[in-house]
Amino acid sequence: MPIKQMKENSVQHLVIKNHLQNTMNPVQRAPKTAQNGKGPLPAAHEPQNTKQPHNQTSPPSKNGGRRRGRGGRKSDQGDVCMRPSSRPCRVAHNPVRPFATDLVAATSNESIQNGHSSSGTEMGFPTSSKSLNFAPRPGYGQVGTKCIVKANHFFAELPDKDLNQYDVRITPEVASKTMNRAIMAELVRLYKESDLGMRLPAYDGRKSLYTAGELPFSRKEFTIKLVDKEDGINGPKREREYKVVIKFVARANMHHLGQFLAGKRADAPQEALQILDIVLRQLSTKSYCPIGRYFFSPDIRAPKRLGDGLESWCGFYQSIRPTQMGLSLNIDMASAAFIEPLPVIEFGAQLLGQGVLSRQLSDSDRVKIKKALRGVKVEVTHRGNVRRKYRVSGLTSQPTRELVFPVDDNSTMKSVVEYFQEMYGFTIQHTHLPCLQVGNQRKANYLPMEACKIVEGQRYTKRLNERQITALLKVTCQRPRDRENDILQTVQHNAYYQDPYAKEFGIKISEKLASVEARILPAPWLKYHETGKEKDCLPQVGQWNMMNKKMINGMTVSRWACINFSRSVQETVARGFCNELAQMCQVSGMEFNPEPVIPIYSARPEQVEKALKHVYHASMNKSKGKELELLLAILPDNNGSLYGDLKRICETDLGLISQCCLNKHVFKISKQYLANVALKINVKMGGRNTVLLDAISCRIPLVSDIPTIIFGADVTHPENGEDSSPSIAAVVASQDWPEVTKYAGLVCAQAHRQELIQDLYKTWQDPVRGTVSGGMIRDLLVSFRKATGQKPLRIIFYRDGVSEGQFYQVLLYELDAIRKACASLEPNYQPPVTFIVVQKRHHTRLFANNHRDRSSTDKSGNILPGTVVDSKICHPTEFDFYLCSHAGIQGTSRPAHYHVLWDENNFTADGIQSLTNNLCYTYARCTRSVSVVPPAYYAHLAAFRARFYMEPEMQENGSTGGGTGHTKGTRAAGESGVRPLPALKENVKRVMFYC
C-alpha cells in the first residue's frame, strides 16, 4: 500500500465525494444508518425490488430426474465464449435512454485498449478507512438441506486477564529475530523471579513484549551477556553484551474484544487479537521453523526430495480468529519447499548432474550455481566444532587455485589454497571449482565449496520447475479424512493445554474440531437447445455431460486452419484429429466446416511468429480477403514458451482466435476431451453452451427484475524474486442480461505489487476534446449497453485476491472508481452496488461429520457441492459465508470465502448465496460446477493470460514455466511509468480469458 499517495490525494477525494452527492437526486442521497454514527460512502438509489424468496424448484421435464452422468475435466490449455438470448425479460421501469456520452466513450475506447489510459488520473485516495462500516449480516440462510460438518477451528476460551504491551529496545541493534529471541530468553531466565515479578512474557522477536498483568516497573534497563557459540577455535568463547530497555506502552482492552465477539461492537480490536496470536506462537517458535504464520519441521514427516537440491517439509498453519462462536484457533496442514541441508559440493552435483563437478565449470554452470546459492546461508565444516554461518553473496569467476588475496597492510599476497592449509590444516581437493563469496562486495571472503554445508531450515522462495511442483503436490495432496487426522494430531502434539504461555495468559484451547451447521444448496436447472434430446439438465453432485444435449447458442465456424508444431504428429494423424473435432462440434450444436481453408501447415516451434503470419495471410488470400475465424494449433506436450508466444502473437498482433491442443490428446482421441474442446471453441466464437433456466425464466431475485451487470476483478502479482515486474489487473463483466452468462474482459499493467486496480476509472486531457473519461469499468458499462440495449441499473462486483487487511482500502478506492465511472456516463446515474470479496487463500477446511456416510460426501470423500456455512465459524457481525460449490477431484476441497463488504441492493443471505452457487454452474470451459464464482475466475484467467503479452526478450534467463516472460525495470520513479500491455484486438477482448 503506497502510503505516500494518501496525503496528496486526500483533498481531491473529498471534492469527488461532494460532487457525486450533489449530482444525485434527494432519494438517491438518502444515507443508510451507520452503526458507529459515521456517514457511509455516497449512497446510490435504492433497488426497485428488494428481498424475494428464491425459487429453487423447477424441473420442467418429466424425465429430468434420471439425467445423470459424469462431466469431463478441464483440458490442459483450453478456451471458451457466448451469445445474447432470444427472449429478454420484461422490466417494469421507464425505457432506458442511451448514455449521454456513448459517442465519447466509443472514441475514448481507442485510447484505453486493455483498460490502459494514455496519461494521467483523477483517482482520489481515501481519506480514512474508518469512515464506513461493512455490510452487516442480514440474517442467516434457510435454503437447502441442513447437515452438520466439521471445521478445522478449535474453540479458544477468552482470557479474563489484563494484557499489557511493552516496547523493547536492544542495543546494539540486532537484525535477526532468532538472536533477539535468544537475548530475551536469557533475560527472562535471569530475571523472571526477580525484576519481572514472576511474569512469563510473550515476545514478537522485534519491538514488542506482552504480559498478562503489569510488570513491577514502567521502564527498566537490563544488561544481557550472550556467549557466541560460533566463535573461537580452541580458546574461550567470546561474550557479546547487549542493553535491553523495556518500557510500558499500553494496556489491551479485553472488554472491547469481548463486546466485538458478542456482536456489540463493529470494529475488531486488532491489538488484542495480535497479542493472543503471538502468545500461542511462542512455544511453536521454539520447537519448529517459523515462517510467517506457518511452522515447519523435518520431524513432522520425513522430508521428500523434490530434485535440484530441494526437499519438501511438512508443517502447519496457525492463526487466532474472531468468530461467532468466540475466539477460534484455525489449524491447517501445509507443505513447502526447503533447500536440502547438503554439503555445497553435493548440492552443486544435484543441480548440474553428477560428474559435472569433476571438471572446471562452464560459464552457464557457474551462473546456475550462483543464482541457486545467492542469499543462502551456509556453515563452515573445516573448523571442527566451530560452525560459523555466512550468507552467500556470489561465486568467484576464477577457480580456487587461481585465487589470491592480501594478508596484511603491505599487500603481501597469499593463495586461498595456501591459506586454508596453513591456517586450518585443510587441504582443498577441488581446486578447479570456484569459491563461494560471503560478505559484502568491498570485503568479500572466499570459502571453498567443499568446506561449506547448507544450513538446515531455509525456505526456498523462488519459482519451482514443473517436476518439483508435481513432487510437492503429491506430498501436499491429502484425502479429507487423512488431513483431518493430521490436524487433530498436530493439536494434540502441540498440547496447548500444557503450554506455559497459554496458561500464563489464561487461554484454553479445545482439542475438538468445531461442529458447524451447514446447508447443501440445490443445483440449478440448466437450459440447452430445443433441438437436443435433452432440453434441460439438473447436474448431479456438481457435474453433468453433453450427451443428448446441444449448445443453447451454437456458433458457425466457416473458415479455420490448423498449424502443427509437433514433429511427432504426422499430417494424417493431425488431419484425423481435426476431422473428429469438427464432427464433435457439429454434434454439440455448432455449424463447423469440415474442411480447413488451407491444408494443415507444419512448422518448428522456434519459428512460431513466421509460421502464424504465413498461415494468416495464406488463409486470407485463399478466402478472398476474409479473415480466419479460428486457428487450431497442435503443440508438443513440453512446449516451453511456445504456448505463451502463440497467444501473444494471435491476440495482440493478428487478432486470431486460437485453440491449442497438446500432442498427447491428438494421439489419444478421447470423446470427452473433444467435447470439452468443442465447448471452448463455441464460446470463443461468441456462443453460449448453456444458461441458467431461472435466468431465462426471469426468476433470479435482484438480477432478473432490472438490467443487472455482474463484474469480476482480480490482480495477479509477479512471483517471489521478481522485484520490479508489474502487477496485472483484469476486469470482466457480463454482457447478456438477463442470462448473465457471457462476459467481456479488459486487462492492464500497473505498479509492482499494487493491489488497488488503478485503471478502473481514468481521466486525461485530450488536445481536441479536453478532459476525456475512460477506464475499464466505464468501457464495460458501455459495452453492456451496446450488447443488451439497456443500461445497467444494478451492479454486482465480485473482487478476487484481497486479504482482510486490505478490505477497507480496496472497497473505498474501487467503489469510488465505480461511482465516478457511472457518473461520467450520465448525470445522476448511480446504480446500486453490491461489492463482494472472494477469497481462496484461507485455511478453513470443512469435513463431513461422518466419513463413512456415503450420502454426505462425493466420490473423493469431500463434502458435497453446494455446501454453505454462514454461522459459528464466520464473522461475528459482518456478511460473509463459506461456499463449497464444486465436487472434489483429489485432495481436500477448499471452500471459497465470500465477504459482502458493501450492499446497496439489500440481498438476503439466501439471495446472494444461491446466486453465487448457481453462477458456479455457468463456467463455460467444462461441464462441472467450479470452486469460485465464474466472473472472478475469468478475471483471474485474464490477468494470468496477460503475462504472456509482455515482450519475450524481457524474460529472465533460466526461468521455467515458459512463456510467462516477466518484464523487468518497467517502473519509473514513484508509482508511475509502468509500460502498458500491447493492445488487444477487438475480437479478442471478449474471449481471451476463456483460452
Side-chain angles (χ1 to χ4, degrees):
M1 253 292 300
I3 302 298
K4 59 185 175 185
Q5 285 191 5
M6 197 172 290
K7 196 177 253 184
E8 61 195 37
N9 290 333
S10 59
V11 176
Q12 188 181 32
H13 183 76
L14 285 171
V15 172
I16 289 166
K17 288 174 74 171
N18 290 336
H19 166 71
L20 284 178
Q21 286 177 324
N22 291 335
T23 60
M24 298 181 211
N25 61 39
V27 176
Q28 291 172 321
R29 287 191 285 116
K32 290 185 180 180
T33 304
Q35 289 182 1
N36 61 359
K38 296 178 183 177
L41 287 172
H45 66 264
E46 294 299 320
Q48 295 180 12
N49 292 333
T50 53
K51 301 173 184 177
Q52 300 176 14
H54 187 57
N55 184 2
Q56 283 290 333
T57 64
S58 60
S61 171
K62 293 179 182 177
N63 58 353
R66 66 170 187 266
R67 291 176 189 136
R68 304 185 182 186
R70 296 193 335 182
R73 292 189 189 179
K74 293 177 278 187
S75 65
D76 291 78
Q77 290 170 332
D79 309 50
V80 283
C81 192
M82 312 164 248
R83 193 152 198 113
S85 83
S86 55
R87 198 187 67 197
C89 293
R90 293 180 177 274
V91 184
H93 59 81
N94 295 329
V96 177
R97 61 189 178 87
F99 288 137
T101 48
D102 262 2
L103 183 60
V104 176
T107 310
S108 67
N109 203 27
E110 298 168 9
S111 303
I112 312 185
Q113 299 200 48
N114 299 350
H116 191 92
S117 73
S118 56
S119 63
T121 175
E122 275 190 10
M123 229 12 206
F125 207 86
T127 52
S128 169
S129 64
K130 299 296 183 183
S131 61
L132 82 164
N133 287 324
F134 295 146
R137 191 180 300 282
Y140 296 93
Q142 303 297 322
V143 170
T145 305
K146 291 185 179 179
C147 64
I148 299 293
V149 296
K150 289 177 285 185
N152 57 337
H153 286 245
F154 298 85
F155 178 67
E157 190 174 318
L158 188 68
D160 57 358
K161 301 185 178 183
D162 287 334
L163 305 186
N164 297 272
Q165 180 181 353
Y166 292 82
D167 178 71
V168 173
R169 182 165 298 177
I170 300 174
T171 49
E173 193 170 332
V174 179
S176 164
K177 288 174 71 174
T178 303
M179 180 58 73
N180 280 339
R181 288 193 176 104
I183 294 167
M184 293 305 298
E186 179 68 4
L187 187 150
V188 172
R189 187 184 71 81
L190 292 174
Y191 297 104
K192 179 185 175 183
E193 295 181 7
S194 54
D195 297 64
L196 299 182
M198 294 301 292
R199 300 285 182 208
L200 180 62
Y203 177 52
D204 70 352
R206 290 193 182 94
K207 301 286 186 184
S208 296
L209 189 78
Y210 303 100
T211 61
E214 293 183 355
L215 292 174
F217 55 83
S218 58
R219 184 187 185 280
K220 195 171 184 68
E221 182 177 304
F222 297 86
T223 299
I224 302 296
K225 293 180 179 179
L226 273 190
V227 173
D228 189 345
K229 296 177 182 177
E230 296 175 358
D231 195 51
I233 302 173
N234 297 315
K237 307 291 185 184
R238 185 172 59 178
E239 281 189 340
R240 293 175 184 256
E241 186 173 288
Y242 301 93
K243 286 187 178 179
V244 183
V245 176
I246 299 176
K247 180 183 176 183
F248 177 78
V249 174
R251 185 172 290 109
N253 192 336
M254 298 307 292
H255 177 67
H256 183 170
L257 177 58
Q259 284 190 311
F260 171 73
L261 293 171
K264 296 176 181 177
R265 289 188 71 127
D267 54 322
Q270 293 300 333
E271 307 82 13
L273 291 171
Q274 184 181 355
I275 294 171
L276 298 176
D277 209 36
I278 289 168
V279 168
L280 289 173
R281 292 167 53 82
Q282 291 295 298
L283 206 58
S284 294
T285 299
K286 295 178 180 179
S287 309
Y288 302 99
C289 174
I291 296 173
R293 291 186 180 275
Y294 296 86
F295 297 95
F296 294 97
S297 170
D299 300 327
I300 294 177
R301 199 181 302 158
K304 296 286 174 69
R305 280 196 163 180
L306 303 176
D308 293 349
L310 302 185
E311 63 182 9
S312 67
W313 280 23
C314 286
F316 62 94
Y317 168 91
Q318 174 180 304
S319 175
I320 195 102
R321 298 186 61 79
T323 66
Q324 292 171 33
M325 68 178 182
L327 284 178
S328 156
L329 189 66
N330 183 200
I331 302 283
D332 191 25
M333 304 312 296
S335 293
F338 280 73
I339 303 171
E340 204 171 343
L342 297 168
V344 168
I345 204 156
E346 190 178 327
F347 176 84
Q350 278 211 29
L351 203 62
L352 302 177
Q354 296 293 338
V356 172
L357 299 182
S358 61
R359 54 173 172 76
Q360 193 163 325
L361 296 183
S362 67
D363 286 345
S364 61
D365 288 340
R366 194 178 60 80
V367 167
K368 193 171 184 180
I369 290 184
K370 179 181 176 181
K371 289 178 72 172
L373 287 176
R374 184 185 291 146
V376 173
K377 195 178 285 187
V378 296
E379 60 184 8
V380 296
T381 58
H382 64 285
R383 296 177 59 184
N385 293 328
V386 177
R387 290 295 178 112
R388 176 157 284 187
K389 297 178 176 65
Y390 301 89
R391 200 170 291 279
V392 178
S393 59
L395 206 64
T396 61
S397 54
Q398 307 114 300
T400 304
R401 60 177 169 242
E402 297 177 13
L403 292 172
V404 293
F405 64 98
V407 291
D408 56 31
D409 294 338
N410 298 323
S411 297
T412 306
M413 305 302 286
K414 182 170 286 190
S415 74
V416 170
V417 174
E418 289 173 344
Y419 177 82
F420 273 82
Q421 183 66 55
E422 294 173 10
M423 189 72 178
Y424 305 112
F426 182 80
T427 304
I428 301 173
Q429 303 290 335
H430 298 83
T431 58
H432 61 286
L433 295 178
C435 274
L436 301 180
Q437 287 179 302
V438 297
N440 58 43
Q441 292 297 322
R442 289 188 306 167
K443 192 180 178 182
N445 293 318
Y446 299 138
L447 290 176
M449 290 174 67
E450 63 196 85
C452 299
K453 180 177 181 290
I454 293 171
V455 174
E456 186 180 56
Q458 296 182 78
R459 174 92 180 268
Y460 184 77
T461 57
K462 297 169 188 172
R463 192 186 313 173
L464 301 176
N465 62 37
E466 294 298 326
R467 188 162 41 87
Q468 291 167 335
I469 290 171
T470 302
L472 185 60
L473 286 175
K474 283 183 180 177
V475 177
T476 309
C477 189
Q478 283 185 294
R479 291 291 187 192
R481 182 183 296 188
D482 297 333
R483 195 182 195 100
E484 181 185 327
N485 289 336
D486 279 359
I487 289 169
L488 285 169
Q489 284 178 17
T490 298
V491 172
Q492 290 165 6
H493 182 267
N494 289 347
Y496 295 102
Y497 61 93
Q498 293 179 339
D499 182 344
Y501 294 94
K503 285 182 178 179
E504 172 82 8
F505 283 79
I507 306 171
K508 296 178 183 176
I509 306 294
S510 167
E511 290 196 326
K512 292 183 179 179
L513 290 159
S515 236
V516 185
E517 290 183 2
R519 291 167 290 113
I520 302 169
L521 301 179
W525 282 86
L526 303 177
K527 177 67 178 156
Y528 282 92
H529 200 275
E530 292 293 325
T531 59
K533 289 184 180 178
E534 295 185 18
K535 300 175 180 61
D536 46 68
C537 164
L538 182 62
Q540 302 296 321
V541 197
Q543 52 191 354
W544 65 103
N545 59 43
M546 284 296 292
M547 286 179 62
N548 300 321
K549 304 175 191 68
K550 289 194 174 182
M551 301 153 175
I552 191 163
N553 297 119
M555 300 304 289
T556 299
V557 177
S558 303
R559 298 179 303 280
W560 62 277
C562 177
I563 186 166
N564 176 17
F565 288 104
S566 177
R567 292 181 181 178
S568 60
V569 176
Q570 302 299 320
E571 185 176 347
T572 53
V573 175
R575 180 67 184 153
F577 173 79
C578 290
N579 286 338
E580 292 280 350
L581 181 57
Q583 287 179 32
M584 179 59 75
C585 289
Q586 291 168 352
V587 168
S588 300
M590 295 180 68
E591 290 184 24
F592 201 101
N593 186 346
E595 294 298 325
V597 174
I598 61 172
I600 293 173
Y601 184 76
S602 295
R604 294 200 299 273
E606 59 270 20
Q607 294 184 331
V608 56
E609 185 166 7
K610 181 180 176 183
L612 288 171
K613 289 183 177 178
H614 169 80
V615 170
Y616 176 79
H617 293 299
S619 301
M620 188 176 287
N621 291 338
K622 188 72 179 288
S623 55
K624 297 178 181 179
K626 294 180 179 178
E627 292 191 348
L628 269 183
E629 294 167 330
L630 175 69
L631 175 71
L632 296 178
I634 297 172
L635 309 185
D637 294 340
N638 297 314
N639 54 70
S641 65
L642 174 60
Y643 178 78
D645 290 342
L646 184 146
K647 292 295 183 183
R648 174 178 52 82
I649 295 163
C650 285
E651 294 167 7
T652 66
D653 186 6
L654 302 177
L656 274 178
I657 305 299
S658 59
Q659 171 63 55
C660 295
C661 303
L662 292 178
N663 190 28
K664 59 185 177 184
H665 296 301
V666 173
F667 281 114
K668 183 187 175 183
I669 300 177
S670 154
K671 294 289 184 186
Q672 181 173 299
Y673 172 76
L674 292 175
N676 271 11
V677 175
L679 294 177
K680 295 165 188 175
I681 290 174
N682 187 51
V683 289
K684 286 181 179 182
M685 294 295 101
R688 284 181 300 200
N689 298 326
T690 184
V691 297
L692 295 170
L693 188 61
D694 278 358
I696 287 187
S697 308
C698 301
R699 291 198 301 245
I700 302 180
L702 297 182
V703 172
S704 299
D705 56 337
I706 56 175
T708 300
I709 186 169
I710 300 181
F711 284 94
D714 190 22
V715 178
T716 65
H717 302 293
E719 296 191 23
N720 290 331
E722 290 284 349
D723 57 0
S724 61
S725 301
S727 293
I728 305 289
V731 181
V732 306
S734 60
Q735 301 289 294
D736 62 340
W737 181 84
E739 289 89 346
V740 292
T741 304
K742 186 175 180 179
Y743 292 81
L746 294 170
V747 291
C748 69
Q750 59 186 42
H752 178 73
R753 300 222 163 258
Q754 170 64 265
E755 183 58 46
L756 304 178
I757 302 177
Q758 300 300 293
D759 280 5
L760 288 181
Y761 176 69
K762 290 278 187 177
T763 62
W764 67 96
Q765 294 300 317
D766 182 271
V768 177
R769 292 173 289 161
T771 302
V772 181
S773 298
M776 294 193 280
I777 294 291
R778 192 179 192 280
D779 289 355
L780 289 168
L781 290 170
V782 170
S783 179
F784 179 96
R785 170 70 176 81
K786 290 176 180 176
T788 64
Q790 305 273 1
K791 67 180 180 185
L793 296 181
R794 178 183 292 118
I795 293 174
I796 300 171
F797 196 92
Y798 286 99
R799 177 63 157 90
D800 197 5
V802 182
S803 63
E804 289 179 11
Q806 296 172 309
F807 278 4
Y808 277 108
Q809 296 157 340
V810 169
L811 176 64
L812 279 165
Y813 188 90
E814 297 183 3
L815 184 58
D816 191 43
I818 293 168
R819 288 182 166 163
K820 282 188 277 186
C822 293
S824 74
L825 287 166
E826 184 179 295
N828 302 326
Y829 175 56
Q830 286 295 313
V833 178
T834 296
F835 194 106
I836 308 156
V837 166
V838 188
Q839 292 177 306
K840 284 289 280 182
R841 292 185 178 180
H842 61 81
H843 289 272
T844 292
R845 300 293 182 272
L846 302 175
F847 303 100
N849 192 44
N850 180 1
H851 290 285
R852 295 190 183 91
D853 182 5
R854 296 289 182 181
S855 65
S856 65
T857 61
D858 60 21
K859 291 181 179 179
S860 66
N862 279 290
I863 55 174
L864 294 170
T867 302
V868 64
V869 170
D870 61 2
S871 63
K872 202 164 183 178
I873 60 171
C874 292
H875 194 279
T877 58
E878 292 168 11
F879 190 1
D880 71 326
F881 59 94
Y882 292 94
L883 172 63
C884 183
S885 52
H886 66 297
I889 297 176
Q890 58 181 357
T892 303
S893 295
R894 188 199 313 242
H897 186 212
Y898 296 90
H899 207 122
V900 183
L901 298 188
W902 192 257
D903 183 26
E904 293 169 333
N905 291 298
N906 294 332
F907 271 98
T908 62
D910 280 329
I912 198 66
Q913 290 167 13
S914 294
L915 171 64
T916 302
N917 185 58
N918 292 352
L919 286 174
C920 290
Y921 286 80
T922 66
Y923 183 69
R925 289 164 45 134
C926 60
T927 51
R928 301 177 67 94
S929 60
V930 289
S931 59
V932 173
V933 67
Y937 203 149
Y938 292 147
H940 173 78
L941 294 174
F944 186 79
R945 162 56 54 81
R947 290 230 171 259
F948 292 134
Y949 299 155
M950 295 179 180
E951 295 302 319
E953 64 267 19
M954 301 302 286
Q955 288 184 356
E956 187 173 337
N957 291 333
S959 65
T960 56
T964 58
H966 298 287
T967 54
K968 303 192 314 187
T970 55
R971 270 193 301 174
E975 294 297 326
S976 61
V978 176
R979 181 184 300 169
L981 297 171
L984 285 173
K985 297 297 182 181
E986 282 301 321
N987 64 326
V988 172
K989 289 183 180 178
R990 299 173 188 280
V991 299
M992 51 85 74
F993 49 87
Y994 292 123
C995 298

